[in-house]
Amino acid sequence: MSVTRRDVLERLGGRSDASTGERTSIGTLTDALAVDERTLREHLDGLEACDLADVDSDGQVRITVTGEELLALALDEMIIVDPEATDRG
């Protein structure tokens, strides 16, 4: 089974809370999603770049308010893309 960013965001939303600051660990998420840490970190990096997740220096992670609001929309289809750096020079 291929894990998507949406899968990671949904699982993260179920195991953390933006308003209370409750976090979960990378290990807990890798176990829950049955993925390796590298794959999970790639997804978390993308979610963090979109302000949907917050990963601290200790590897503890939580969903953001924006992430919770996106999940609350209960969309049938959701595409999460990394923001691209633009040349403003």
Side-chain angles (χ1 to χ4, degrees):
M1 175 182 122
S2 179
V3 174
T4 66
R5 290 216 171 117
R6 181 182 183 150
D7 296 330
V8 174
L9 185 64
E10 288 174 344
R11 193 58 59 113
L12 182 59
R15 297 187 183 279
S16 67
D17 187 283
S19 61
T20 65
E22 180 182 345
R23 293 179 178 269
T24 190
S25 69
I26 299 285
T28 297
L29 288 174
T30 58
D31 291 346
L33 291 162
V35 296
D36 60 83
E37 185 175 331
R38 181 173 175 237
T39 299
L40 178 66
R41 285 192 179 269
E42 288 173 2
H43 286 304
L44 288 173
D45 288 347
L47 292 171
E48 190 170 36
C50 296
D51 294 322
L52 301 174
D54 178 62
V55 182
D56 70 15
S57 60
D58 294 328
Q60 296 292 304
V61 62
R62 71 167 172 79
I63 194 167
T64 63
V65 171
T66 305
E68 288 178 337
E69 289 172 347
L70 182 61
L71 288 178
L73 294 174
L75 302 170
D76 290 335
E77 298 277 332
M78 180 188 317
I79 298 173
I80 301 170
V81 296
D82 294 337
E84 294 182 7
T86 57
D87 182 14
R88 299 180 194 264

